Amino acid sequence: MDADRSVELQAAVREAAACKTPLHIIAGDSKKFYGRAATGTPFPVAQHCGIVHYEPGELIITARAGTPLAEIEAALAAHGQMLPFEPPHFGPTATLGGTIACGLSGPRRPYAGAARDFVLGVKIINGQGEILKFGGEVMKNVAGFDVSRLMVGALGTLGLLLEISLKVLPKPQHELTLAFTCTPQEALAHITEWSGQPVPLSGACHDGARLVVRLSGSRSGVIAFQRKLRGEVVNDGEKFWQQLREHQHDFFKGDALLWRFSVPPATPLLNLPGQLFIDWGGAQRWLINPLPADVIRASAVKLGGHATLFRGGERIGQVFHPLPPALLALHKRLKTAFDPHAIFNPGRLYVEF
Amino acid sequence: MPCYTVRMGQKPPAHTPEKEALLVALRGILPDHSVLCEGEQLRPYECDGLTAWRALPGVVCLPSNAEQVQQILRLCGQMHYPVVARGAGTGLSGGALPLENGVLLSLAKFTRILEIDADNRTARVECGVRNLAISEAVAPHGLYYAPDPSSQIACTIGGNVAENSGGVHCLKYGLTVHNVLGLKALTMDGELLEIGSKALDTPGYDLLALLHGSEGLLGVLLEVTVKLLPQPERAQLALAAFHDVTQAAQAVAAIIGAGIIPAGLEMMDNLALCAAEDYAHAGYPRDAAAILLCELDGSNEEVSELIMLVRDLLLANGAYEVHTARDDAERLKMWAGRKAAFPAVGRLAPDYYCMDGTIPRRHLSAVLTRIAELSRHYDLPVANVFHAGDGNLHPLILYDANQSDERTRAEEFGGEILQLCLDAGGTITGEHGVGVEKLNQMCAQFTPHELVQFHEIKHAFDPKDLLNPGKAVPTLHRCAEHGAMHVHHGKLPFPELERF
Ligand SMILES: Cc1cc2nc3c(=O)[nH]c(=O)nc-3n(C[C@H](O)[C@H](O)[C@H](O)COP(=O)(O)OP(=O)(O)OC[C@H]3O[C@@H](n4cnc5c(N)ncnc54)[C@H](O)[C@@H]3O)c2cc1C
């Protein structure tokens, strides 16, 4: 049932702040595996839910953070619209708040933008129990610092999300998935070539055996590029991208350590053993590999990117790529600026705050 | 841009012993000719594009490398001198307005393009590189940098990041924040921050987003890594003429409602389009109450398909004429009128005041009607230029500062327009920033708690409040004086804070 629980939540946060009680914010609990292990008193927030305002003609939606992601996507689909960043749900209980707090984006990300690119405004409770609003429901807004985007990927460490306004887009008129049997090296070369040309890509990955790309746009435009690129049409293309987005592809089965490399897209193949799945047109590479974390991280840095221990293993060490000292110090100061009593999800992002 | 009015001090700031000490130390960091402190040398820096506000800076520094900037910042930090960064000075909200007791840090010498990486579609450039120079440099690779503010021949990428600038193609391709992958910046204490890379994301908080639109308050940007896009196969521009502004607004809604995201969707009213026509001879119909410029880009096939659809939608919503550009030359000519709209309108009156509110699109015609009423009430003409696709309005209020009270009337009129945008659920600034100009309106848009949160963010970067102090975020004291503080149930919020 839709409900505005902001008053109760605010009272609870104030009390936690007064007693300096750390809170472990829980909404759908679908991304429990992500980030560092949670500590603190479980603090359920999913009841604060419901779509507050959806204006298809304006391409915006505002919803309470506990709203199920599935509910939002269904509302958008009813008007032929979508969340262009294709957030993974990782379970039926995923909420909008958890999606934004984790800041994860799916296969369309390199072409349409990431979760942070679509956030227009937020309402939060900060660590002093104050309800604050930043941004809004308009596409362009530079009044005040961009706190809305700062919340994306902060894993709830800066504040409790109450409401989020997002920009949405019409679903493409036509989509087509093409597959090419080739090596990962060949796949990267193709992607690099096509990305430098006006090819209407909306997904590009290599699943170990095939380069799979998605084209989106007007029907005539998509067909024109299908002729140029050739390739084999994948009939259940939509299902393929859906499975990739939700990590239901065979590659992701099992519970081995899963590393996520975020690197410049044209980076040559990593010189590391293990299994590899290339997504985001080369910019996101999934690696199943038991090497020690520091070896993995050093190679990510050498390639100009960073590595996250996405899933599995002990979640008590550094899960995200360690920050250089100047940035770490700044992160701590920002954390204190929002949450001076360190009550929100302490240690979930980094061990230091 | 000519300067007509004077608000702040015009006398060169006095030389004090502390200032002498500062000058000596600065000359230890920079060659003598890169430290300016005499009257006429300072003049070019007295204002940015918001010419109604001026002040002569205490000192102007023209560093040419990162080490010099770092040393200047450390020195100013130790000596407690405020620092204002300046790019090209085209800002329209007074963000680069100097401080009389401070150092103006001009980044004009940071003009090197450091790296073009065609395979990864990125360019790493110094902060003083002009926006258009990036697209020019990468054009041989078939690439371009998408955000295109109308000031793009002059404004710098550092200024673009600091303001999160937009342009006529931002509807489809996003604002500066959507097109930047990495930054190198120095904090006021001279600490180097390297944020982002050529990868698509970066660990930790999204500092990249936080620095966009931070108006030079959080750090001095040195380098920017931008994302490049392949040049579209084809672009086509349709110009639609309407007898009625409301119809033009409806046509905008109809196009977006049909699931089409044009590369650009711009509107000009009669006063603006006639001024632009006189100035740029773009071929605009002078008898139209409003025109829409709608650009589509993509593959040949896609553009051909969509341009017909758009044409039908425009006609169905009351356009009495739709003209599509014959070729690229005509397309660029048609854009030239729009891109020159500000200087063109600038010729109609001695002064103009450019507003920058954004509203939900559905309120476009109501807001326009109200602006017309206000124009009659204040007896000042207003020309309207909009990024119609994303609801960003640029009403240009025409006035003459030499006429007794016209300037005050223009400011009051502007204030009412911004309030109107807030009442419509919008914002006081879509892309020009708050600067010194919209500080009072910030008090209306945000609650004291929210403003305090902004100050806390500022202090996380700059605890001594030395980098562009007094801009972008008003003090609570100022809001209390301005009387625009949110009052709920007759009580001032936040009584526990001592500041009144
Ligand atoms: C005719 C005209 C048309 C315009 N059209 C548009 C438009 O279409 N869209 C739009 O968004 N804007 C537009 N503008 C506004 C302006 O051009 C932009 O805000 C631009 O980004 C400012 O860049 P600049 O280099 O001139 O910055 P400046 O005016 O020099 O500075 C702007 C702000 O950025 C800060 N700053 C500058 N460089 C740095 C740096 N390296 N590090 C830290 N802070 C820095 C300054 O302190 C200041 O607060 C227009 C202006 C004019 C005069």
Side-chain angles (χ1 to χ4, degrees), chain A residues 58 133 220 260 262 266 333, chain B residues 120 201 305 362 427 450 460:
Chain A
E58 300 276 346
K133 264 186 84 168
S220 57
R260 172 182 181 268
S262 176
R333 295 196 298 272
Chain B
N120 284 306
D201 50 32
E305 184 179 334
R362 63 187 179 283
T427 178
E450 289 155 0

Side-chain angles (χ1 to χ4, degrees), chain A residues 57-58 116-117 126 130 133 140-142 149 157 173 195 220 224 260 262 265-266 306 331 333 337 353, chain B residues 120-121 177-178 200-201 203 205-206 233 301-302 305 358 361-362 387 392 427 429 431 449-450 453 460:
Chain A
E58 300 276 346
R116 55 91 89 168
D117 292 314
N126 70 6
E130 297 158 359
K133 264 186 84 168
K140 289 166 86 174
N141 189 350
V142 292
R149 289 196 172 90
T157 57
Q173 192 192 73
S195 300
S220 57
R260 172 182 181 268
S262 176
H306 62 99
H331 274 67
R333 295 196 298 272
F353 56 89
Chain B
N120 284 306
R121 298 170 306 285
V177 69
H178 301 111
L200 297 187
D201 50 32
Y205 295 143
D206 197 337
E233 196 169 69
E301 293 79 5
E302 175 154 339
E305 184 179 334
T358 305
R361 253 185 324 254
R362 63 187 179 283
H387 304 297
N392 186 196
T427 178
T429 173
E431 59 182 15
H449 283 302
E450 289 155 0
Q453 188 68 75

Side-chain angles (χ1 to χ4, degrees), chain A residues 163-348:
Chain A
E163 252 173 59
I164 297 138
S165 299
L166 295 173
K167 176 179 174 175
V168 300
L169 283 179
K171 283 191 178 169
Q173 192 192 73
H174 191 61
E175 297 205 310
L176 185 74
T177 299
L178 299 173
F180 307 78
T181 304
C182 66
T183 64
Q185 285 92 334
E186 288 164 344
L188 286 173
H190 281 307
I191 296 173
T192 303
E193 184 192 334
W194 296 338
S195 300
Q197 297 167 9
V199 179
L201 289 173
S202 65
C205 69
H206 188 273
D207 65 3
R210 301 175 306 165
L211 163 66
V212 185
V213 301
R214 177 173 57 186
L215 303 177
S216 300
S218 77
R219 183 176 297 274
S220 57
V222 167
I223 291 170
F225 278 96
Q226 177 191 0
R227 285 202 201 102
K228 280 182 206 163
L229 304 188
R230 298 214 181 83
E232 178 194 331
V233 175
V234 177
N235 287 321
D236 49 358
E238 203 170 329
K239 186 166 155 218
F240 175 86
W241 296 106
Q242 177 65 21
Q243 289 189 334
L244 170 54
R245 169 180 174 178
E246 296 300 338
H247 284 191
Q248 286 159 352
H249 188 281
D250 283 347
F251 175 88
F252 299 97
K253 301 240 160 87
D255 44 23
L257 290 195
L258 178 66
W259 284 93
R260 172 182 181 268
F261 274 62
S262 176
V263 291
T267 303
L269 276 201
L270 325 170
N271 198 8
L272 289 175
Q275 290 137 271
L276 173 72
F277 192 113
I278 301 174
D279 192 10
W280 286 11
Q284 174 170 265
R285 303 189 189 184
W286 300 101
L287 195 73
I288 295 178
N289 161 319
L291 284 175
D294 43 349
V295 176
I296 299 239
R297 294 218 156 97
S299 56
V301 170
K302 225 165 81 191
L303 298 169
H306 62 99
T308 305
L309 180 54
F310 195 82
R311 215 190 262 270
E314 294 278 335
R315 313 295 292 182
I316 47 174
Q318 290 293 31
V319 164
F320 297 102
H321 208 99
L323 300 168
L327 283 179
L328 178 61
L330 182 58
H331 274 67
K332 288 197 218 161
R333 295 196 298 272
L334 275 171
K335 165 76 174 172
T336 308
F338 281 89
D339 180 16
H341 309 300
I343 57 170
F344 290 130
N345 283 354
R348 187 82 198 265

Side-chain angles (χ1 to χ4, degrees), chain B residues 1 48 84-92 95-96 107 127 149-151 155-156 158-160 162-163 165-167 215-216 219-221 342-343 387 431-432 468:
Chain B
M1 192 174 284
D48 62 7
V84 178
R86 179 184 171 104
T90 67
L92 290 173
L107 295 146
C127 62
S150 302
S151 50
C155 64
T156 67
N160 291 174
E163 301 287 8
S165 298
E215 303 195 21
V220 175
L221 305 163
F342 292 2
H387 304 297
E431 59 182 15
H432 294 167
N468 218 3

